[in-house]
Amino acid sequence: MKTKFLTFLIVSAFLLTILVGFASASGPFGLTAVTVPTSIQSNAGSFNVVFNISYTGQLPSTSVDFSGSTITQGTATIALSSTTLNQDETKTITATVNFPSGQTGSIRGNINAIPTQAGSGFAENLPFTVTLTTPAPSELKFCEIDNGVSSNPGD
């Protein structure tokens, strides 16, 4: 009885190791962030998300479609063109996120890269979050009530 139980534990551990290996194995297609701002002023109107995209699959090349990229929080659009990657190639891509001035909170989104050729990998996502900050007032303006002198009344 002890031998069967010990054998069962060893086989279970072996199978679990194999399953974890399959689950964590990376595919032939990948995205990695290069530069993503953590915050930006709410009146900036846009920011860039820079990332590397690579392809190490079996096909000579693959086209990548980014049209599934989405904003999940805030109001914004993602400007990003499709690209083609050759086998064992990595490209640096810049996505521009445009947003209306004056928003508060954060803008969250996902860069969604989908290889268009069958067998060239699975879709990959690169999530990002950028906090919108309120710009400091550039200069205080005092009322000009003392014959056009633009200084603090009472000076």
Side-chain angles (χ1 to χ4, degrees), residues 6 12 15 40 43 49-50 55 58 62 83 88 99 112 115 118 133 143-144 150 152:
L6 184 60
S12 295
L15 290 175
I40 191 140
N43 63 354
V49 175
V50 181
Y55 173 64
Q58 298 297 318
T62 187
T83 192
D88 298 323
F99 62 94
N112 187 12
T133 60
C143 297
E144 296 182 4
S150 60
N152 189 1

Side-chain angles (χ1 to χ4, degrees), residues 23-47:
S24 64
S26 62
F29 184 66
L31 294 175
T32 54
V34 174
T35 305
V36 180
T38 55
S39 65
I40 191 140
Q41 290 189 350
S42 62
N43 63 354
S46 68
F47 60 87

